[in-house]
Structures are given as C-alpha cells and as structure tokens.
Amino acid sequence: MAQAAARITPQEVTNLYGFLDTIEAGEDPAEFADHDHRFHAEIARVGGSPSTQALLTVFRSRSRHHRVFALPDGPVFERAGDEDHRAIVAALANRDPAAAASAAAAHIARGERRLGATRPPVTEDAVDGAPAPEEGPLPG
C-alpha cells in the first residue's frame, strides 16, 4: 500500500472513487463481487507490486469462492467492505502510506474473519482421508 500511496495519480484516485460509486450502487451480489474484484485489481495495479497483486488475487478468489456477499449477512459484509474501501482510497488520495497500509490491513483482517465464518468445518474426508490428529502430548 505504501507504494500505491507514493505512486497514485489524481486520475487513479478518480477511477478508484468511480469503482466505489459503482460498487455501492449495485444490488446484485454477483455484480458486487465482480466490481469489488476490479477495485482490488486496480489498487494492486496502482501499487505496482507483483507480490501485492498476487496476494489480492488469492484473497479475492477465496472470497468469490465462498460467495460471502450472497449469504444472509451479505449486505452487512458489503457495507463493511464499502467503509474499508473508502478508508483505503482516502488514505491513498492523501498520499499517506501508513494510513493506507493500516486501512488495507484492517480490511484484510475483517475479510478473513468473514471468510472464516463461512468456511465449512474441516473433516477427515476433507483432508484426503487422513486420520484426525490424536489428542495428547506430541511425541519426541
């Protein structure tokens, strides 16, 4: 995020706010997810960091897979995401790398909590039939 804050242009700030307006106006969960993905891709592009781009791609693919926005609490997730996005873009527009990094980290942490709440429990079958670990002290 620090790189994005240092590199962002006024036109890119305008573009990001345009994405946010489109995201916030949408009502369809699939459409919201698509615009959200594009927003994150633009943030990663502005930052110019391949590692950030890869991280955001993985993160977005996981949230799309779990379809968090189609859940009963989807609108709550959307509003929280909107607030997070606004904080990120405001920090970028102010060219404040620390605030941008903090806002992005908070957004990722909240997203991880949302995803964690939607993941099905891990079972033996989900781990290729491997037996569950035994209780008690570790050998050694």
Side-chain angles (χ1 to χ4, degrees), residues 106-129:
H107 180 53
I108 290 169
R110 279 189 279 276
E112 282 294 310
R113 282 194 301 275
R114 287 190 296 267
L115 287 174
T118 65
R119 287 188 192 116
V122 175
T123 64
E124 266 187 44
D125 294 337
V127 192
D128 298 324

Side-chain angles (χ1 to χ4, degrees), residues 44-128:
R45 187 196 65 73
V46 168
S49 164
S51 60
T52 300
Q53 290 172 340
L55 175 65
L56 286 173
T57 299
V58 169
F59 183 72
R60 287 297 305 137
S61 125
R62 289 176 57 217
S63 67
R64 286 176 120 176
H65 172 71
H66 290 288
R67 297 172 177 40
V68 295
F69 304 122
L71 295 171
D73 285 341
V76 173
F77 298 158
E78 288 179 30
R79 281 191 298 279
D82 292 345
E83 290 171 11
D84 289 349
H85 292 157
R86 291 255 170 217
I88 292 168
V89 176
L92 292 174
N94 289 326
R95 295 178 152 299
D96 185 339
S102 177
H107 180 53
I108 290 169
R110 279 189 279 276
E112 282 294 310
R113 282 194 301 275
R114 287 190 296 267
L115 287 174
T118 65
R119 287 188 192 116
V122 175
T123 64
E124 266 187 44
D125 294 337
V127 192
D128 298 324

